[in-house]
Amino acid sequence: MRLSRGFVPTLKETPTEAQIASHRLMLRAGLVRQTSAGIYAWLPAGWRVLQNITRIVREEQDAAGAQEILMPTIQSADLWRLSGRYDAYGPEMLRIRDRHDREMLYGPTNEEMITDIFRQSVKSYRELPQNLYHIQWKFRDEVRPRFGVMRGREFLMKDAYSFAADYDGAVIEYRKMMLAYMRTFQRLGLKAIPMRADTGPIGGNLSHEFIILAPTGESQVYYDAAFERIDPASGEFSFDSESDLARFYERLTTPYAATDEEHDPAVWEGVAEKREGRGIEVGHIFYFGTKYSEPMGLTLAGPDGRPLVPHMGSYGIGVSRLVGAIIEASHDEAGIIWPDSVAPWKAALLNLKPGDSACDAICMEIYARHGGDLLYDDREDRAGVKFADADLMGHPWQIVVGPRGATNGRVELKRRASGERVELTLADALARIA
Amino acid sequence: MRLSRGFVPTLKETPTEAQIASHRLMLRAGLVRQTSAGIYAWLPAGWRVLQNITRIVREEQDAAGAQEILMPTIQSADLWRLSGRYDAYGPEMLRIRDRHDREMLYGPTNEEMITDIFRQSVKSYRELPQNLYHIQWKFRDEVRPRFGVMRGREFLMKDAYSFAADYDGAVIEYRKMMLAYMRTFQRLGLKAIPMRADTGPIGGNLSHEFIILAPTGESQVYYDAAFERIDPASGEFSFDSESDLARFYERLTTPYAATDEEHDPAVWEGVAEKREGRGIEVGHIFYFGTKYSEPMGLTLAGPDGRPLVPHMGSYGIGVSRLVGAIIEASHDEAGIIWPDSVAPWKAALLNLKPGDSACDAICMEIYARHGGDLLYDDREDRAGVKFADADLMGHPWQIVVGPRGATNGRVELKRRASGERVELTLADALARIA
């Protein structure tokens, strides 16, 4: 995209309403604009990041054998009465009456709806196990929305729902999601640690939340250095092998890990290699047995024809929250430092002297070849402005084309994360980025 | 996907609530399930179709220079008071009060919100023209939702909004969208005809709706055969050339075209090559000048420093409606006939005898190589059931593996649209599909 023609409204001033780094940087870098309290519009750069994260989440869900669907945002209150949650859910649920005065709601989660869809469609235990997921906007009417997209009201979530014949089958689905989550966060450039958690309003017997490490995170975390040696994408763990999944689960759940709320200094004492840091919750998984399937009448024909009530689990990732979380984990004084996998553009192309024929020619050659991956800063602005905006926006690479180098066919390549700069021929620079 | 493990719940019976072909077929082929009146969940096969359509719409918007963003579903009533539409809009608008009793609404369209975002971000005429689009769920609280996704309440729409310095600039944006729409519908396997239209609640001076031809369409259309000779993707028309756009516009708007409401028999008399058919509206574009920019205070610094109020247009495509419209345009007694570009899977792989070692071996070889594009019917079911389901689901190709052919390394390939069947070696069949 050519920046002179693009809708990338960066801000020089720090917006006063933003209390945390990611919120400030998302506004300043032109990723989002607030449209109401806790509700945001995603501008082109922010939308590209959100799409990149969505794609990685989707690929890992698919790899784990989950199937993508899309459930609507608006649900009937009647469904939630079947589970008893319509009254149990507090004022965070956005309740709506339609023109016929029917009670509806903007879904904060989908256990009831997926159970109802499954009940209409599946008749036999032979069709188990299944895991269905969607990536859809949710609404939680927070009293005080804050921290930008980290605690907004309308937010994008990936939620998956598994159905299995019994406890043992449900545990396999749970472990698959655990592996998928660890692979997902690793691809997003994050270090994630699963922690045993309360089940809260979802209910159930087994639950883990996934905390990613970020220096400005919301809670203190204590963990065993053993986590640093787990590579979920090593090929050592396959979704198709029950023993791999069991081994992975053990590796993930045996070493010590706790947030400050759950921290146990006596046990911590015995951990050989201690690590501490700050963390942000970005995922939460639940096994809850027949909590929804039973009251909602989801009964299949079991082996021997006896009725079988499936055991369920649900698995959430805060997709829009992750944009903020990644920035919290990866930024400096000058701005965002995007991991390559989620950056809106792979590189910024900085033309330091638009109108100079050598600069323009080199830039056009690069842009013609890699236009889709580049943000071409062709604005008639001072070099200092361009450098500052590129650092702020956090492109993994900057290709700097100035009049001196351009006449010799040379450009400067800067890696945002390390600050390393090298002067290269055009061909070498292109090869380096690709 | 393996059908035995997939969530593709086809129905043998025709659901009684469905009055039109696309609604019946979408339920029977397991594409969607209704979750409330006029609100649908998209199951894996339906979701894949919707994603394919979305991708094509997006590619053509991008090619026309529009930039993708995402605005939220929930909007503040205050924004709509600025334009005067909050009171003007009838009971089709879903009005909501949040926990602080603030008036909100589920957006049926986004003219107000985009004008507000643009006002916050753009200061100078130099940044014009721009066209911003999003593909987002909308809500219109229809009194009697019917015809499945063709007239649902929660529906997916692509809406674009252009900003230009004056009328002439706005007309160029309008024509770009016209070209993009014609290319989009052609790629979706549809024949579209633009018709001069009323501007309705959006307001404005110039408007066209896009009607696609379908034998079961909602209205009668009369048009000049000249439309059949226009190829928007021929390379003859470039988005970057004003004269191409003007020529394209003239080609599209000169020949006679009207729905029965607007039909003028006297003019029709003079059309040399007459065509008649049934049609479905799938897109609508508007130029409305300063109808929103002026009352909402969108003023930029113009040349010579004088204030400039941008001229705007908006451009909608009914993305979820298109799924129904494509089926109305392309089905037969046995089921759906998907155009290749939108089919959920390129081919069905029918194993007529699971358990037969030759059949299983050939199927596994095909599936291993093309798994992502195939729906592998590995169910232990009669051949007749598999044939019927494959016809119902409308895969462009069927690869039929039976025990007799399999022992000789041969399969049967059926083209759904023509019904043509040929027996081929495995290698030839694979080459033919790819």
Side-chain angles (χ1 to χ4, degrees):
Chain A
M1 182 190 282
R2 277 169 173 272
L3 194 44
S4 66
R5 304 246 53 82
F7 191 70
V8 187
T10 54
L11 304 174
K12 283 194 198 70
E13 309 295 320
T14 295
T16 51
E17 76 268 30
Q19 300 168 36
I20 59 169
S22 59
H23 191 190
R24 279 194 296 273
L25 290 170
M26 288 182 72
L27 292 171
R28 285 195 55 211
L31 302 180
V32 291
R33 284 292 178 266
Q34 181 170 290
T35 58
S36 310
I39 304 181
Y40 291 85
W42 296 77
L43 306 188
W47 176 239
R48 291 173 78 108
V49 174
L50 199 58
Q51 291 276 75
N52 287 339
I53 296 173
T54 300
R55 179 178 41 76
I56 290 171
V57 169
R58 172 177 288 140
E59 285 171 2
E60 293 299 333
Q61 293 291 297
D62 292 346
Q67 298 173 65
E68 189 169 7
I69 63 172
L70 189 73
M71 290 179 272
T73 59
I74 302 296
Q75 307 187 18
S76 155
D78 289 341
L79 264 183
W80 287 65
R81 291 211 172 86
L82 292 176
S83 71
R85 282 209 293 181
Y86 190 65
D87 296 321
Y89 231 95
E92 288 193 359
M93 180 186 275
L94 188 65
R95 294 158 206 261
I96 302 170
R97 282 177 187 270
D98 73 7
R99 67 190 292 170
H100 299 300
D101 214 33
R102 281 178 296 219
E103 290 177 279
M104 314 289 285
L105 56 97
Y106 198 122
T109 177
N110 287 64
E111 281 79 8
E112 285 81 357
M113 187 179 277
I114 194 72
T115 304
D116 189 54
I117 291 170
F118 206 81
R119 186 169 55 85
Q120 289 175 49
S121 307
V122 174
K123 302 299 169 202
S124 160
Y125 78 96
R126 283 197 196 84
E127 298 170 63
L128 299 177
Q130 299 233 24
N131 187 334
L132 301 169
Y133 76 99
H134 74 160
I135 301 173
Q136 176 62 295
W137 293 88
K138 310 286 190 298
F139 205 94
R140 281 187 202 153
D141 202 357
E142 300 271 355
V143 188
R144 273 185 305 281
R146 60 208 149 126
F147 305 148
V149 301
M150 297 275 285
R151 206 178 186 98
R153 297 200 290 168
E154 188 170 332
F155 60 98
L156 187 60
M157 189 166 141
K158 186 286 300 179
D159 34 329
Y161 302 90
S162 68
F163 300 83
D166 52 23
Y167 174 79
D168 290 344
V171 162
I172 294 170
E173 298 306 307
Y174 190 91
R175 291 173 179 172
K176 281 185 188 169
M177 285 296 105
M178 219 157 185
L179 178 53
Y181 277 35
M182 292 301 284
R183 287 166 49 135
T184 301
F185 298 129
Q186 179 164 291
R187 286 182 63 187
L188 296 174
L190 299 168
K191 188 76 210 166
I193 298 172
M195 304 205 181
R196 188 76 187 227
D198 278 342
T199 54
I202 305 282
N205 320 88
L206 178 60
S207 178
H208 285 87
E209 54 186 33
F210 292 78
I211 307 280
I212 62 104
L213 298 173
T216 51
E218 60 209 2
S219 51
Q220 184 73 11
V221 295
Y222 304 86
Y223 62 97
D224 189 317
F227 282 109
E228 295 172 354
R229 294 184 289 270
I230 301 172
D231 176 6
S234 68
E236 200 187 333
F237 310 107
S238 158
F239 288 116
D240 298 324
S241 156
E242 282 183 37
S243 67
D244 280 10
L245 292 168
R247 201 157 39 82
F248 185 72
Y249 183 77
E250 203 184 311
R251 288 275 298 273
L252 274 191
T253 54
T254 308
Y256 186 85
T259 57
D260 38 10
E261 289 162 19
E262 306 279 332
H263 186 49
D264 182 338
V267 182
W268 181 236
E269 191 66 28
V271 174
E273 282 185 274
K274 296 184 180 67
R275 295 282 188 275
E276 287 184 45
R278 306 291 297 177
I280 299 170
E281 187 197 333
V282 291
H284 205 152
I285 64 177
F286 303 88
Y287 161 71
F288 43 72
T290 61
K291 179 178 154 69
Y292 298 92
S293 44
E294 194 163 324
M296 295 188 66
L298 168 57
T299 305
L300 310 183
D304 316 323
R306 284 188 307 183
L308 180 151
V309 179
H311 285 234
M312 294 174 57
S314 73
Y315 315 91
I317 290 181
V319 178
S320 49
R321 168 169 253 240
L322 271 167
V323 181
I326 290 169
I327 295 173
E328 293 294 338
S330 185
H331 70 275
D332 62 16
E333 286 301 304
I336 301 167
I337 303 170
W338 288 119
D340 296 74
S341 59
V342 299
W345 292 276
K346 204 182 249 187
L349 172 61
L350 310 186
N351 187 340
L352 298 190
K353 203 171 180 188
D356 177 274
S357 60
C359 287
D360 289 354
I362 285 204
C363 285
M364 281 317 296
E365 193 177 333
I366 299 173
Y367 190 64
R369 231 186 289 180
H370 295 276
D373 294 333
L374 294 178
L375 184 67
Y376 175 22
D377 192 344
D378 59 341
R379 295 175 300 177
E380 301 201 0
D381 238 324
R382 286 181 300 110
V385 170
K386 298 186 181 196
F387 288 132
D389 271 355
D391 280 353
L392 170 63
M393 295 187 65
H395 316 285
W397 299 94
Q398 296 170 17
I399 310 167
V400 183
V401 180
R404 212 162 337 172
T407 50
N408 304 315
R410 296 176 79 82
V411 303
E412 192 181 79
L413 191 64
K414 176 179 162 182
R415 179 73 176 160
R416 174 68 176 89
S418 62
E420 184 205 350
R421 297 157 184 274
V422 281
E423 207 189 89
L424 296 168
T425 63
L426 174 56
D428 287 346
L430 290 175
R432 187 84 170 261
I433 295 168
Chain B
M1 182 191 281
R2 278 169 173 274
L3 194 43
S4 66
R5 303 247 55 80
F7 191 70
V8 187
T10 55
L11 303 176
K12 282 194 199 71
E13 309 295 320
T14 296
T16 50
E17 76 269 28
Q19 300 168 35
I20 60 169
S22 60
H23 190 189
R24 279 194 296 273
L25 290 170
M26 288 182 72
L27 293 171
R28 285 196 54 212
L31 301 181
V32 292
R33 284 292 178 267
Q34 180 170 288
T35 57
S36 311
I39 304 181
Y40 291 86
W42 296 77
L43 307 189
W47 177 238
R48 290 172 80 110
V49 174
L50 199 59
Q51 290 276 73
N52 288 338
I53 296 173
T54 299
R55 180 176 41 74
I56 290 171
V57 168
R58 174 177 287 142
E59 286 171 3
E60 293 299 333
Q61 291 292 296
D62 292 345
Q67 299 174 65
E68 189 169 6
I69 63 173
L70 189 74
M71 290 181 273
T73 59
I74 301 297
Q75 307 187 19
S76 157
D78 289 341
L79 263 183
W80 286 65
R81 291 214 172 84
L82 292 176
S83 71
R85 283 208 292 181
Y86 190 65
D87 296 322
Y89 230 96
E92 287 194 359
M93 181 186 274
L94 188 66
R95 294 159 204 260
I96 302 170
R97 281 177 186 271
D98 74 5
R99 67 190 293 170
H100 298 301
D101 213 33
R102 281 178 296 218
E103 290 176 280
M104 314 289 285
L105 57 95
Y106 199 121
T109 177
N110 287 65
E111 280 81 8
E112 285 81 358
M113 187 180 278
I114 194 73
T115 305
D116 190 53
I117 291 170
F118 206 81
R119 184 169 56 85
Q120 289 175 49
S121 307
V122 175
K123 301 301 169 201
S124 160
Y125 79 96
R126 284 197 195 82
E127 297 170 65
L128 299 178
Q130 299 232 24
N131 186 335
L132 302 169
Y133 76 98
H134 74 159
I135 302 172
Q136 176 63 295
W137 294 87
K138 311 285 191 296
F139 205 94
R140 281 187 203 153
D141 202 356
E142 301 272 355
V143 188
R144 273 183 306 280
R146 61 209 148 128
F147 305 148
V149 301
M150 297 275 284
R151 206 177 186 96
R153 296 200 291 170
E154 187 168 332
F155 60 97
L156 187 60
M157 188 166 142
K158 185 286 301 177
D159 35 328
Y161 302 89
S162 69
F163 300 83
D166 52 23
Y167 173 79
D168 290 344
V171 162
I172 294 170
E173 296 307 307
Y174 190 90
R175 291 173 179 173
K176 280 185 188 169
M177 285 295 105
M178 220 156 183
L179 177 54
Y181 277 35
M182 293 300 286
R183 288 167 49 134
T184 301
F185 298 129
Q186 179 163 290
R187 286 182 64 187
L188 296 174
L190 299 168
K191 187 77 208 165
I193 299 174
M195 305 206 180
R196 189 77 185 225
D198 279 342
T199 55
I202 304 281
N205 319 88
L206 177 61
S207 177
H208 284 87
E209 53 186 34
F210 292 78
I211 307 280
I212 62 104
L213 297 173
T216 51
E218 60 209 0
S219 51
Q220 183 72 10
V221 294
Y222 303 85
Y223 62 98
D224 189 319
F227 282 109
E228 295 172 353
R229 294 185 288 271
I230 300 172
D231 177 6
S234 67
E236 201 188 333
F237 309 108
S238 157
F239 288 116
D240 298 325
S241 157
E242 283 183 37
S243 66
D244 281 9
L245 292 169
R247 201 158 38 82
F248 184 72
Y249 183 76
E250 204 184 310
R251 287 275 299 271
L252 273 192
T253 53
T254 308
Y256 186 86
T259 57
D260 38 10
E261 290 163 19
E262 306 279 334
H263 186 47
D264 182 339
V267 182
W268 181 236
E269 192 65 29
V271 174
E273 281 185 275
K274 298 184 179 65
R275 294 282 188 276
E276 287 186 43
R278 306 291 297 177
I280 299 170
E281 187 198 332
V282 291
H284 204 153
I285 64 177
F286 303 88
Y287 160 71
F288 42 70
T290 60
K291 179 176 154 72
Y292 298 91
S293 44
E294 193 163 321
M296 295 187 66
L298 168 56
T299 305
L300 309 183
D304 316 323
R306 284 189 306 182
L308 180 150
V309 180
H311 285 234
M312 294 173 57
S314 73
Y315 315 91
I317 291 181
V319 177
S320 48
R321 168 169 254 243
L322 271 168
V323 180
I326 291 169
I327 295 173
E328 293 294 337
S330 186
H331 70 277
D332 63 15
E333 286 301 305
I336 301 167
I337 303 171
W338 287 119
D340 295 74
S341 60
V342 299
W345 293 276
K346 205 183 250 187
L349 173 61
L350 309 186
N351 188 342
L352 298 190
K353 202 171 179 185
D356 176 275
S357 61
C359 286
D360 289 354
I362 285 204
C363 286
M364 281 318 296
E365 194 177 334
I366 298 173
Y367 189 65
R369 233 187 285 179
H370 295 273
D373 293 333
L374 295 178
L375 185 66
Y376 176 21
D377 192 344
D378 60 340
R379 295 175 300 178
E380 301 202 359
D381 239 324
R382 286 180 299 110
V385 170
K386 298 187 180 193
F387 288 130
D389 271 356
D391 280 353
L392 170 64
M393 295 187 65
H395 316 284
W397 299 94
Q398 296 171 17
I399 309 167
V400 182
V401 180
R404 213 163 334 173
T407 49
N408 304 316
R410 297 176 79 83
V411 303
E412 192 183 76
L413 192 63
K414 175 180 165 184
R415 180 73 174 161
R416 174 69 176 88
S418 63
E420 183 205 352
R421 298 156 183 275
V422 280
E423 207 189 90
L424 296 167
T425 64
L426 175 57
D428 288 345
L430 289 175
R432 188 86 169 259
I433 296 168

